Amino acid sequence: MLRTAVAGALLAAGLAVTSSGGDSAKADTNGKVTVVYDNAVKPKDRQAVAVVRKSRVLEQLAEWVNKSVALPHDLEVKVTDKVPPGVTDAVTQPDGRTIFVPPSFLTQIEGVLSDVVKTVKRPALFPKDSFNADDLTALSTQFVFGHEMGHALQRQLLLPNLGLEEDAADGFASFYTVNEVGPGPSLAAAILFDEIAREEGKLTLEGLSSDHPVTQQRVFNFLCYLEGSDPKRFHGPLVGAGYLPKTRAPLCPQAWAMLDFGWWTQLKPYFSGAFKDQGDKTQEKARDHLIAETKAFEKQLDELRSAQ
Ligand SMILES: [Zn+2]
């Protein structure tokens, strides 16, 4: 899932531009994110593509980036079968200027989630009326696309990384969706990855040596950031209900505060003119929040260590 492509970009012809983000076109020379759905979709993939297209989850993030970030280059998001050789899932090209989303990958996600709704008990936190394959597909695609956008931002802006790029990409997916959308995408992605981990079965050498954390670990990372973003709201339904272990939970408020401060700080030099004031204030608030969470964590530390 969400591997990074090393192959060169294949420019596909015959694509229809169905939407483009960005509101202030006037004298704005920044790169823009556009989402392009190829009209030629195989019959077997039409349902999943229609679900994602109707949800506008790709366009929503495109619009957020266009509004907030001054990109040096355009970024084209292509939902198309015309992908570089070997690409089977969502990938970001090394220059960060193209993200490919193969329709068959969306069908694969929808297939896994169709099994989930038949076999997995709905977590009480996840709304009943969204616990169906279509809504779960749209929400998890929103998270997966956040991951790819994380790669694109890192590569276009040449952001300094202190850990693996894949962790930072997952982090951007949490940062964007938790702040701008709500808990739905993190929960749907956790549900999806949990099922994928089950299907993968026993850990293999390839899995352990991947540049991604192992799949089940990513589930807990997604839940940890969500819980940490608002423990008052999420502790009961995630930790109390047994989805996020009690051993991990105490670390999550500070982990979220670090991630939130980290991404606001990484993006700060690249805020668009229109977003700068709001972005700077949000970054300062995130800094204060991290300092407060670190102090709160320090207070609990003796108790937590003794309980281990
Ligand atoms: Zn990735």
Side-chain angles (χ1 to χ4, degrees), residues 20 42 66 81 105 111 124 140 144 158 165 189 194 234 242 265 273 278:
S20 61
K42 291 188 185 109
N66 288 337
D81 282 320
F105 173 64
S140 49
V144 165
L158 208 70
E165 185 184 348
D194 186 61
F234 297 122
T265 306
Q278 188 192 334

Side-chain angles (χ1 to χ4, degrees), residues 2-69:
L2 322 181
R3 289 175 316 224
T4 56
V6 288
L10 180 78
L11 287 173
L15 299 167
V17 177
T18 56
S19 94
S20 61
D23 32 19
S24 55
K26 50 174 186 330
D28 181 351
T29 54
N30 299 328
K32 288 288 172 245
V33 187
T34 52
V35 179
V36 181
Y37 280 90
D38 193 337
N39 287 326
V41 180
K42 291 188 185 109
K44 74 169 181 68
D45 298 325
R46 280 186 194 146
Q47 164 68 9
V49 170
V51 163
V52 171
R53 190 170 184 163
K54 188 163 169 262
S55 73
R56 301 196 82 255
V57 291
L58 305 185
E59 288 83 353
Q60 282 168 23
L61 175 50
E63 283 160 20
W64 185 83
V65 172
N66 288 337
K67 178 192 77 172
S68 316
V69 184

